[in-house]
Amino acid sequence: EGGEEVGSQGLDKYLEQHVSELACDAVLVSDTGMAGINRPSLCVALRGLCYVELFVNGPTSDLHSGSYGGVVENPAIALARLISQLKDDSGKVLIPGFYDDVRTLGAADRAALQTAAKSDSDLLRSTGAPRLFGEPGFTPTERLGARPTLDVNGIYGGFTGEGAKTVIPAQAAAKISMRLVADQEPKKIGDLFERYVNQIAPDTVKVRVERLHGGHPYLARTDGPAIGAAKQALQEAFDSEPLLEREGGSIPIVVTLAQALKVDVVLMGFGYPDEHSHAPNEHLPLSHFDRGMVAAARFFEIAGSSLAAR
């Protein structure tokens, strides 16, 4: 529908108003990836999202840093201090209550994630990072699919052009995304974030939080006929038993569809780890394109028979 990247503001209401016209037995979404080249997988969980913009304001206009440096707070420095208090050095989020609703990973969950785990070397190779980083006590795969996180997506303020300009900026801001897991609510997390930054902000600046986008996390039922049909279709198309993976990204419409239509949503996608998603040269292997068409066709055949027989 073309509005995903800006929050699909009218889509929830549209679904509520047209439930009878959209009635179905299951929903198939092909917006996820696979474990590797010709290594099929089904996504059984998506992280939700709480996306905010944090504004820090000081003087009413930019000031000369020679004339006023030392007598007024610099919003860019105040922002940096605020950001530094959002996470500790190990990557754990410091916002009080942030982890309160996170569903605990059981032994079976951890075993399933380990089966589909990406190696540390693969993650380093695909990211180009010098070393992995993240919340202690969890594997990289667990941190990606079953743990929430907080990231700064961009920072701006003051003079950023070529050369030098000695200013104390009137405002600095940061865009911050929080990925959420099962049982976390975007609104509650936004409330906790806003309360915390207001508590830790110095009284020498004013802070404001604008909520840009939110979406609920999704955890699929893995024993229904629809996902059974997807498993069989992938097995036939790729000649390999599909893994069950948890995706670190968000697809907010999935929860909306599941709740509005009261059906299972199957996440059967055909991307792969090195596809450069959301980056230059995003691409798809031709073998995934060809076999994906076969898998999709077989899914509809198998699901049609199994669901009709209920």
Side-chain angles (χ1 to χ4, degrees):
E1 79 12 283
E4 179 195 6
E5 298 297 342
V6 292
S8 299
Q9 297 299 316
L11 194 53
D12 287 15
K13 186 175 181 180
Y14 180 88
L15 282 170
E16 292 171 6
Q17 294 173 342
H18 298 270
V19 168
S20 60
E21 298 167 51
L22 298 168
C24 59
D25 297 301
V27 173
L28 176 66
V29 173
S30 291
D31 193 23
T32 52
M34 290 174 40
I37 292 286
N38 297 325
R39 186 68 180 95
S41 57
L42 284 167
C43 178
V44 296
L46 295 164
R47 288 197 287 195
L49 179 66
C50 176
Y51 197 114
V52 303
E53 192 160 5
L54 173 61
F55 297 92
V56 177
N57 288 83
T60 55
S61 65
D62 290 355
L63 299 176
H64 191 287
S65 66
S67 301
Y68 294 97
V71 296
V72 297
E73 176 73 275
N74 185 311
I77 295 174
L79 174 64
R81 288 203 303 268
L82 288 175
I83 289 173
S84 73
Q85 296 177 75
L86 295 176
K87 298 173 78 171
D88 67 16
D89 290 343
S90 70
K92 183 178 179 180
V93 178
L94 297 175
I95 299 170
F98 184 82
Y99 294 100
D100 284 358
D101 298 326
V102 173
R103 191 177 300 187
T104 302
L105 272 176
D109 296 320
R110 302 191 90 157
L113 285 169
Q114 186 58 35
T115 301
K118 299 176 176 66
S119 69
D120 289 6
S121 58
D122 282 344
L123 288 168
L124 289 171
R125 179 178 54 81
S126 64
T127 62
R131 190 174 179 182
L132 297 180
F133 171 81
E135 186 185 4
F138 299 93
T139 67
T141 299
E142 289 169 350
R143 295 198 300 264
L144 280 172
R147 296 295 293 172
T149 190
L150 180 152
D151 286 290
V152 176
N153 306 121
I155 304 174
Y156 62 94
F159 178 69
T160 58
E162 281 190 39
K165 185 178 181 183
T166 54
V167 297
I168 297 171
Q171 182 188 81
K175 295 180 185 290
I176 297 169
S177 63
M178 291 161 278
R179 299 286 177 170
L180 314 178
V181 295
D183 298 336
Q184 286 185 298
E185 289 283 336
K187 183 183 182 305
K188 180 178 178 180
I189 294 299
D191 291 343
L192 292 173
F193 178 91
E194 189 165 353
R195 184 182 310 141
Y196 179 59
V197 295
N198 276 287
Q199 287 174 348
I200 64 175
D203 61 8
T204 50
V205 295
K206 295 179 180 179
V207 298
R208 178 172 63 87
V209 175
E210 183 178 343
R211 303 186 195 191
L212 301 182
H213 184 33
H216 288 82
Y218 180 69
L219 188 59
R221 186 169 66 106
T222 58
D223 58 355
I227 201 164
K231 288 178 183 178
Q232 184 179 338
L234 286 172
Q235 170 81 48
E236 293 179 14
F238 289 88
D239 196 26
S240 179
E241 183 179 355
L243 298 173
L244 300 182
E245 294 190 303
R246 297 191 183 203
E247 168 62 51
S250 307
I251 311 177
I253 187 61
V254 167
V255 176
T256 304
L257 288 166
Q259 292 177 345
L261 304 178
K262 295 179 173 54
V263 295
D264 290 334
V265 178
V266 176
L267 297 161
M268 185 175 75
F270 305 102
Y272 79 116
D274 293 335
E275 67 185 356
H276 295 174
S277 178
H278 285 212
N281 195 31
E282 182 175 356
H283 58 283
L284 178 78
L286 290 177
S287 61
H288 285 202
F289 182 76
D290 294 335
R291 293 186 177 194
M293 287 192 290
V294 173
R298 283 296 290 145
F299 169 79
F300 286 115
E301 290 176 345
I302 299 164
S305 298
S306 60
L307 291 169
R310 287 189 304 171

